[in-house]
Amino acid sequence: MKKILSLLFALIALTSYAQKTLPLPIDRVEPQNWWVGMKHHDVQVLFYKHDANLTEYQPSLNYPGVTLKEVVKVENPHYLFLNLQISESAQAGIIPIQFKLGKKTFTHSYELKNKSTAKNRIQGFDAKDVLYLIMPDRFANGDVKNDSLPGFYEGVHRDKPFGRHGGDIKGISDHLDFIKELGVTTLWLNPILENNQKRESYHGYAITDFYKVDKRFGSNEEYVALIEKCHANGMKMIQDMVINHMGNYNWLMLDLPEKSWVHQFPEFTRSNYRSEAVSDPYHSKSDLDKMTNGWFDKTMPDVNQSNPLFANYLIQNTLWWIEYAGIDGIRMDTYPYPDKDFMARWMQEILNDYPQFNVVGEVLVNSKPMIAYWQQNLINKDGYQSHLPSVIDFPLTNAVNAALNEKGSWDGGLSRLYTNISQDFIYPDPNGNVTFLDNHDMSRYFHNVGRDMNKFKMGLIFLLTTRGIPELYYGTELLMDGNYSIHPTVRMDVPGGWKEDKVNSFTVAGRTKEQNEAYDFMKQLLNWRKNKKVIHEGKLLHFIPEDNIYIYFRSLGNETVMVIMNGNDSEKKLPTARFAEGVQGKTKAKNAMTGEVIQNLSELTLPAMTALVLELE
Ligand code: CA
């Protein structure tokens, strides 16, 4: 009876409390929650209501371990920023934040969660991994119900090359077995956050909501479920992020908190896209300003990262995605374009909370020193320290594509690979570079090698056995061959990803003989690479090419792998005495791809336009 009575009193107390305070009518609260146990414990919470004057509200809170340090009002009264200080003693729970307006009191329940301690989450990535880049709109349509949704400008028009085609998270999840079987370890999806733009919203680089997965790809929850599925399958996820610019239909852009959240000009001013202005010791200020402050496009306003509120917003947004979704790494778009001091702070804040994390920055230039400038630990003359662990290795890609298409010469043909790698002294950590043969912004690799299967295989062997963290673009294994000068042809749908497709290239029976040859070759090489520590971290030793034959070794402890690339259209005999430093007295070898045992290493027979991967014994 006593119990029932006390329950009744509690209920009455709760009801009267509920009568006094109303839920705060609000459009947005960002970040929607935070975590205890984070090193980033001063959290700036944005409150927004499009038709209210929030500056008239007086916020307060009473929660053990949490202090309302500051209330920031901005030009636009639809916004209010609350700075919460979360001490180490704070416990997870719901913080009732009260807002007084005249005699009324409203409450917003702000959730403080515990930082996750689960294993296999937020692992980072390195040269053990092979990345598989997917353009989500073009991979597979797992859910036709999300193709065209109310409230979104663009629906599915599969016949339009620049339109949305309907691919989604479920399509990727449904085909994870196909990806896993190929032998890659890590997914990198082109940006999956909301792009509710009027045109060309499929590629994802014009974000309209920094906290939401585009509903046409799926929900935040579906994204997290895909990441958990990856982790359960021993795979990882890299999130593609963009903070240099946003979509002009970003909700922030439509009702800016302050004019200074984006770079403003009297008339439309485009970036000059000349990244060298950032690292150039002789740059003019006007060139640099145009580079970093000019808009990426009319539909992509330039974010001002030197606005302190927006800077905090972006950093917290990144930390929020890492902790919320458990991603393993980030690929950051247009790395030299934002304010570089902000980028260094952004990177430090990530590593401060997640020391095991990895970020790769896109510096799209064909110059090793210009890329190296952005990798952490390089002593730059201007004193800049980026703290960025990894950079995308564009110069190596260009070297491979030239090397496979030229006749051998002093500096042409396979000498290109030697010359490129020989300049690695410029990189603080060349093995941390993300290496690749193609991506969504260039002609497909199979197109570049003139649909030549021998060259195709040779370049893949190079990519997967030299230093670096390799990335493969979806469809390489299916010999997709688009030309970037006809732009969308490099971003084609995977046949079989759509129910109406006549062939299903996700199955052996649905692939051509040539496609199966490519798929099987890559599968074998990738699965071999997966457990080869000697490739992941072994010492690299190479020799100056002669007669368009390039030879290098990877060695670790007692293990040695010898790679021989013959770039000639004819068979060659190769005496190996010159390579004694690499062979280290070993006399036998096993061909990693064919299993063939070579009993005598003193002279090797090299088939035309072929690379051999030999495990020395
Ligand atoms: Ca769909």
Side-chain angles (χ1 to χ4, degrees), residues 27 43 52-54 91 105-106 110 112 137 189-190 214 241 243 275 284 305 308 318 428 433 449 457 482 518 540 573:
D27 295 334
V43 187
N53 183 350
L54 291 187
Q91 301 285 311
T105 304
F106 301 90
Y110 194 78
L112 213 48
D137 183 57
L189 312 181
N190 291 117
D214 196 297
M241 288 191 177
I243 55 178
S275 303
S284 71
Q305 297 87 7
T318 298
N433 288 9
V449 295
K457 289 180 181 174
L540 176 62
K573 296 281 183 200

Side-chain angles (χ1 to χ4, degrees), residues 137 140-148 156 165-171 215-218 498:
D137 183 57
N141 189 355
D143 182 2
V144 292
K145 290 194 299 295
N146 63 22
D147 284 1
S148 301
V156 162
H165 291 189
D168 47 36
I169 289 170
K170 185 164 188 304
K215 281 189 179 146
R216 293 162 294 184
F217 290 146
W498 280 252

Side-chain angles (χ1 to χ4, degrees), residues 32 54 123 162 184 208 215 233 240 283 411 438 461 500 514 554 580:
Q32 66 188 57
L54 291 187
Q123 301 168 79
F162 290 97
V184 296
T208 56
K215 281 189 179 146
N233 278 280
D240 200 337
H283 70 261
D411 53 1
D438 62 355
I461 285 178
E500 63 271 24
E514 216 186 9
R554 303 296 305 273

Side-chain angles (χ1 to χ4, degrees), residues 24 90 112 135 209 230 266 299 314 339 375 379 483 526 537 595:
L24 180 72
L112 213 48
M135 183 150 278
D209 190 326
C230 285
T299 58
L314 295 167
D339 177 79
Q375 195 173 45
I379 311 294
N483 179 351
L526 285 161
E537 51 192 80

